[in-house]
Amino acid sequence: MTFQKRILCIGAGYVGGPTMAMIAHKCPDCRVTVVDINPERIAAWNSDDLPIYEPGLDKLIAATRGRNLFFSTDIEAGIRDNEIIFVSVNTPTKTFGLGAGMAADLQYWEKTARQILEFSESSKIVIEKSTLPVKTALAMERILNCRENGIRFDVLSNPEFLAEGTAISDLESPDRILIGSRETPSGLKARETLVEIYAEWVPREKIIASNIWSSELSKLVANAFLAQRISSINAISALCEKAEADVTEVARAVGMDTRIGPRFLNASIGFGGSCFAKDILNLVYLCRHYGLDEVADYWESVVHINRYQQERFIRNMLGAMFNTLAGKKICLWGFAFKANTGDTRESPAIFIARRLLEERAEVVVSDPKALKNARADLAGTEGSIAFIGDPVRAAKGCHAVAILTEWDLYRNLDFGKIFKTMAQPAFLFDGRNVLDHRRCFDIGFNVYPIGKPPLTHF
Ligand code: UDX
Ligand code: UDX
């Protein structure tokens, strides 16, 4: 079969894998190849045990893999043989040198740009899928177009807005597709090529174009706004606990204002995930770089509140459990940074588990999908840690259960049975406000939700 377009994606991660599976599914006349430097990841994509858990992903892969979707480690051939190249390698927060802890580490991205330059034998469209600091495309253009050999590279910015756990539906019905390009004839032509791909399934009016810097910046700003809403409601949750107000009721009342809207107003132990903290810190770093200290401080406070909320959760546990956790067994339900994913990157559960161990508590971790990652995250941490998949068995003999991820399965457990197997008095700390608190209280638990008065038997 001859394919109309040949697409490559470099980086077979949480973004690259599902995004390319969707493009392959919706564009049967495109041949899509995903490459990665990590052979184990590629082997997993080629097996029945996919490297990431995402509802609906396995079906999509089964329908496309081997037909017009291919996973490979041959980056050189991939670059040579494809004319449209998405780059979705990771861009973590820098851990060294200038900007450590704030700026994006662009070494993988730049290394990839140099590989593209080295192995290309014809002109290409290079698409930034990774989240990058504004103006990265300029550096890329300079690297890619440094040789005068007739090969041309057009760089586009096409940020990904999918959220983990709902990646497949987000990809299938996106709120918008954003494509940033140069306003030159070849930039506009490259943009049109990418528009044609998305237009196979996304309504044209949802495919929006912008200049390339606006596009790069929009991704950072979208994540910053979403995270800001969570920090805003979490800040209010602290006040609710003091003022005997109920944060769920406040969020409902506030969110019904159509100017505000109801989403992303769930108070929690704080946001996690590979994007929010990284992207805000990146934004903060950019603002400081341009001398905009007030703007930087404003956005940095979103991250400060997030850390404060996690520490507050530990302090509430300590206060409720008679100011000592030493020797007490605490069960954590959920380790993933949100439900429906096995991903634990930047999960608040990591901080909370470590803090509990510092307090010399014994920690039992339970999660339906994230235990493998949890083990890796806590490897080398001192103290007593056990990993048990079944939440009921995990809670047995514990003094407290703390809910850290809003997995549906926790809502409908037999709490009467669980209560009887726990050490007394038994505590429930609901870091996601997912349980029926009154029912748990009536069973005998001392219940501590987020942003609501506790229900205790003392
Ligand atoms: C993505 C985006 O790319 C990132 O910028 C965004 O902010 C978060 O989402 P994600 O897909 O979640 O990252 O990252 P990850 O799952 O770590 O995947 C990146 C992949 O790129 C890894 O499989 C890694 O092996 C691969 N990689 C990295 C390369 O193939 N080449 C490199 O040089 C570096
Ligand atoms: C986010 C963005 O939503 C997505 O558009 C972008 O492309 C990548 O970053 P993701 O991190 O996968 O996606 O998940 P998201 O649903 O945004 O949740 C992030 C964190 O916020 C999770 O820890 C979640 O539990 C938390 N959260 C979310 C809350 O605490 N309260 C809420 O109301 C919503």
Side-chain angles (χ1 to χ4, degrees), residues 93-103 285:
T93 304
K94 216 173 157 194
T95 53
F96 54 89
L98 194 64
M102 300 287 272
Y285 185 74

Side-chain angles (χ1 to χ4, degrees), residues 160-162 164 230 264 266 268 271-272 276 337-338 432:
E160 187 49 71
F161 295 104
L162 65 79
E164 287 177 35
I230 301 168
F264 269 71
N266 291 323
S268 67
F271 57 76
F276 280 178
F337 81 98
K338 65 186 278 196
R432 296 286 184 167

Side-chain angles (χ1 to χ4, degrees), residues 129 159-163 170 176-178 215 218-220 222-223:
K129 215 17 148 175
E160 187 49 71
F161 295 104
L162 65 79
D170 293 344
R176 79 309 210 176
I177 295 289
L178 174 59
S215 174
S218 298
K219 171 65 190 269
L220 295 183
N223 276 348

Side-chain angles (χ1 to χ4, degrees), residues 9-18 35-39 41-42 45 52 75 87-92 107-112 115 129-132 160 162 164 219-220 223 274-276 278-279 343 345:
C9 177
I10 304 178
Y14 286 86
V15 170
V35 292
D36 200 289
I37 44 167
N38 181 345
R41 244 203 177 165
I42 291 299
W45 279 110
I52 61 175
I75 299 176
V87 182
S88 185
V89 301
N90 41 339
T91 48
Q107 60 173 315
Y108 307 116
W109 173 264
E110 177 162 338
K111 202 180 88 212
T112 303
Q115 281 179 325
K129 215 17 148 175
S130 308
T131 308
L132 297 160
E160 187 49 71
L162 65 79
E164 287 177 35
K219 171 65 190 269
L220 295 183
N223 276 348
S274 71
C275 288
F276 280 178
K278 164 173 83 71
D279 290 351
D343 193 357
R345 289 178 293 175

Side-chain angles (χ1 to χ4, degrees), residues 190-210:
R191 183 165 93 192
E192 194 44 40
T193 304
L194 189 54
V195 168
E196 277 167 19
I197 293 172
Y198 285 111
E200 290 290 335
W201 79 97
V202 181
R204 283 264 174 174
E205 66 275 14
K206 289 196 172 179
I207 305 177
I208 58 171
S210 74

